Amino acid sequence: SGRYLESGTVITVELALAHPLVQTTNYLKLSQAPKISDGGDCPFVRIVYQMPYSKSHLLDQIVWKVLETNANVFKLDNLPRDMYSSALSTYKLSKAQESSNKLDYITGFHVLDGQSHLLVLEGLA
């Protein structure tokens, strides 16, 4: 097995979309975003944000809403707000939570290339 992290391995991926997946104007709640459907019943909704690198204040607002939502879902909202990120990053789902299709938390990823931010979020519809 390779030691990719220790070796400083970097992967660069470039994606280009012909059309935006969703309109991203004024969506801070996943429930407000249009649902992306492949024709079947999908229990999830996804939203993609793309913004210039200089608009990190908008990224901060979105990330804060995700942290706040997830802290509430996992009953961590009794902690000081500045601890949400560290508490959620170490949170371990119970077996019941892993198998639940009702646990409404938000997942996603953030890609930064020095020119723009791309944030993809997913949660229950």
Side-chain angles (χ1 to χ4, degrees), residues 29-93:
K29 285 189 170 182
L30 287 178
S31 61
Q32 296 174 338
K35 294 179 185 174
I36 299 171
S37 176
D38 60 2
D41 290 331
C42 180
F44 302 105
V45 63
R46 289 168 205 92
I47 189 165
V48 178
Y49 292 94
Q50 182 182 10
M51 65 200 79
Y53 182 77
S54 62
K55 301 283 185 182
S56 61
H57 65 283
L58 178 58
L59 176 71
D60 292 342
Q61 288 177 332
I62 295 167
V63 169
W64 175 247
K65 280 295 188 187
V66 170
L67 289 172
E68 196 173 47
T69 298
N70 287 347
N72 187 36
V73 168
F74 295 116
K75 309 288 188 246
L76 300 172
D77 51 351
N78 60 328
L79 297 172
R81 294 169 66 124
D82 61 340
M83 298 206 45
Y84 285 179
S85 182
S86 57
L88 287 165
S89 68
T90 59
Y91 188 85
K92 176 82 172 136
L93 293 174

Side-chain angles (χ1 to χ4, degrees), residues 4-37:
Y4 300 107
L5 292 177
E6 292 87 351
S7 300
T9 303
V10 176
I11 184 169
T12 302
V13 178
E14 186 173 322
L15 303 172
L17 300 175
H19 303 282
L21 295 176
V22 294
Q23 287 293 94
T24 59
T25 308
N26 296 325
Y27 291 128
L28 284 181
K29 285 189 170 182
L30 287 178
S31 61
Q32 296 174 338
K35 294 179 185 174
I36 299 171
S37 176

